[in-house]
Amino acid sequence: GRPPCSLNDANLFQRLLFGWAWPLLKLGASRPLEETDLADLHVEDSSAYNKSYIRQVWNANNGQKSSTRGGGVERRAGLG
């Protein structure tokens, strides 16, 4: 099986300085990495999730007229 994603348990400092990736970098320095060395992607990082999300946003905005000043963005931000 794949190892757990170390980003899940990383604190802010580790995230900012990429300390969460250190074990994988250390392993890669000692031997070529294999697919089983890599953790699974978070669901939110998968192409299937993002395709679904983009489709939902597209469908929610489909047919809405926007002004030439970017009305769509202003409307989503609650400014229009």
Side-chain angles (χ1 to χ4, degrees):
R2 291 179 179 256
C5 182
S6 55
L7 186 56
N8 291 340
D9 298 325
N11 61 35
L12 179 62
F13 185 72
Q14 292 170 323
R15 288 173 184 251
L16 290 174
L17 299 177
F18 294 94
W20 59 270
W22 179 249
L24 185 63
L25 295 171
K26 186 176 175 184
L27 181 61
S30 67
R31 65 170 175 80
L33 293 175
E34 299 176 6
E35 186 177 353
T36 56
D37 296 327
L38 305 175
D40 284 326
L41 285 175
H42 289 112
V43 173
E44 296 85 6
D45 293 331
S46 71
S47 59
Y49 176 88
N50 284 294
K51 177 184 172 186
S52 173
Y53 176 76
I54 290 170
R55 182 168 284 151
Q56 287 174 354
V57 171
W58 179 268
N59 290 337
N61 291 312
N62 193 17
Q64 294 180 0
K65 294 181 181 179
S66 64
S67 71
T68 57
R69 297 181 334 154
V73 173
E74 292 171 355
R75 187 172 34 257
R76 285 189 296 277
L79 303 173

